[in-house]
Every structure is written in structure tokens, then in C-alpha cells.
Amino acid sequence: MKTDKQQFIIHITINLSLILLFVGITILQINKQNSSSYIGFVTGGVGVAIINIIRNTKIYKDKNYKSKTQIEANDERNILINTKATSIT
């Protein structure tokens, strides 16, 4: 099993690569006429990646928050709800 620090670095790396990908898409599409939809898509993706970086940093630094999120993720009710929602879709 990977340590907390390794998982933190992996999450940060994935999110930073997503930001670079979105920025690259924007640069490629900037000369085309339909660039507004791409810019909106990229802005949303970058926003989500930045929020994930902030959340992962908070989880890494605060042990109480980490244990709380692990309990919520492993809660039987949440697992049952997620299973039912997945089966419906």
C-alpha cells in the first residue's frame, strides 16, 4: 500500500497534468472561431483540478479531516446508496 505522501504526490501530479492539458487545448483552439465553448470547458476543468489540489492538501495536512473522509467513504449507508444509484443509471 502506498503511503499518504505518495498518494498526495500522485493526486497533485494528476491534477497539475489536467491543468496543463486544459491549457493546451485552449491554446490550440484560440485561433479558431468557436473558441468560447472550449474556453468554458477548460475553465471548468482547471477549476475542478484546483479544488482537488486544495482538498488533497487539506486532507494531507489535517489527520482528523482525513479520518473523517475515510469513515464517510467506507460507511455502509453511503456504499449502499452509491450502489443503488449506479445500478439505476
Side-chain angles (χ1 to χ4, degrees), residues 47-58:
V48 169
I50 289 172
I51 289 172
N52 278 333
I53 289 173
I54 293 169
R55 183 179 60 93
N56 288 330
T57 305
K58 184 176 180 181

Side-chain angles (χ1 to χ4, degrees), residues 8-88:
F8 175 72
I9 291 171
I10 289 170
H11 287 289
I12 298 298
T13 306
I14 289 171
N15 287 310
L16 289 175
S17 62
L18 283 174
I19 290 172
L20 290 175
L21 174 70
F22 291 139
V23 169
I25 290 172
T26 301
I27 290 171
L28 287 175
Q29 296 298 328
I30 238 161
N31 293 329
K32 298 186 178 180
Q33 291 177 343
N34 232 357
S35 65
S36 63
S37 62
Y38 289 105
I39 291 173
F41 170 74
V42 168
T43 304
V46 169
V48 169
I50 289 172
I51 289 172
N52 278 333
I53 289 173
I54 293 169
R55 183 179 60 93
N56 288 330
T57 305
K58 184 176 180 181
I59 289 172
Y60 180 70
K61 288 182 178 179
D62 187 8
K63 299 299 178 187
N64 292 334
Y65 186 76
K66 178 183 174 186
S67 65
K68 180 181 173 185
T69 55
Q70 285 179 346
I71 289 171
E72 287 178 3
N74 296 328
D75 185 27
E76 293 176 6
R77 293 175 295 166
N78 289 339
I79 293 172
L80 180 64
I81 291 169
N82 288 336
T83 305
K84 286 185 177 183
T86 305
S87 67
I88 290 172

